[in-house]
Amino acid sequence: MSQQKSTPPIVRGGMDVLALRLRPGADIRRDLTALAQRENIGAGMILGAVGSLSEVRLRFAGQDEPTLLMGRHEILTLSGTIASSGVHLHMNVADSQGVCRGGHVVEGCQVFTTLEVAIAHLMGCQFDRLLDPMTGYPELCVRQKREDVLQD
């Protein structure tokens, strides 16, 4: 007898796009976390990003500690989820020889000249991270955003 898989809930809503530039010295993870909190982003996604880094710190798959990549790097991709409750970012970078490395973005990824980024703010959605007993990690939980209703 086969087990039926449950269908995950789908949340629909509109989208607002935020476009910005992080300047030299900015820390990608710290600054995008601060942006999500300042703009009260309940749910967001990186649409696209390009830029350069003077310091790169990535945590590779299966590793407990981040790795420092020496030298300047170009950002080829930056993807992830953003919410005022936290961010989850992955990035692929290339060094001066075109060698690519990618992983989980941790604090310490410092912008060299620029980071141009577009973020989709998903209206009506809320991203939270809840412990998933199957994985043992806090995993994404998508829900309908409930706006506070003022009572007379």
Side-chain angles (χ1 to χ4, degrees):
M1 195 155 99
S2 67
Q3 276 187 311
Q4 286 188 347
K5 294 182 180 179
S6 65
T7 303
I10 296 174
V11 176
R12 297 183 192 274
M15 181 175 75
D16 189 23
V17 177
L18 291 78
L20 63 131
R21 175 185 175 216
L22 296 183
R23 298 188 180 277
D27 181 290
I28 294 174
R29 185 178 181 88
R30 189 172 43 238
D31 284 24
L32 290 180
T33 298
L35 171 78
Q37 291 169 347
R38 185 175 63 249
E39 295 296 319
N40 195 28
I41 297 173
M45 303 287 295
I46 302 286
L47 292 174
V50 293
S52 59
L53 299 173
S54 57
E55 290 186 33
V56 180
R57 283 180 176 37
L58 298 173
R59 193 181 74 240
F60 300 133
Q63 302 299 310
D64 292 330
E65 297 298 321
T67 298
L68 172 63
L69 303 179
M70 303 303 292
R72 294 186 182 135
H73 287 75
E74 293 290 330
I75 297 170
L76 304 178
T77 61
L78 175 66
S79 61
T81 55
I82 295 179
S84 54
S85 60
V87 300
H88 184 191
L89 304 170
H90 289 195
M91 181 169 58
N92 190 26
V93 296
D95 67 15
S96 62
Q97 302 302 306
V99 175
C100 297
R101 303 288 300 265
H104 182 81
V105 176
V106 298
E107 285 192 12
C109 292
Q110 192 171 49
V111 173
F112 176 55
T113 59
T114 193
L115 173 60
E116 302 158 7
V117 62
I119 299 168
H121 181 184
L122 308 173
M123 312 306 281
C125 298
Q126 180 67 44
F127 289 167
D128 293 306
R129 297 239 164 235
L130 301 174
L131 183 63
D132 183 330
M134 287 179 56
T135 67
Y137 294 100
E139 302 289 3
L140 183 67
C141 175
V142 180
R143 63 180 172 85
Q144 188 75 40
K145 189 171 188 176
R146 306 264 190 261
E147 300 298 329
D148 291 338
V149 178
L150 296 176
Q151 300 289 330
D152 287 316

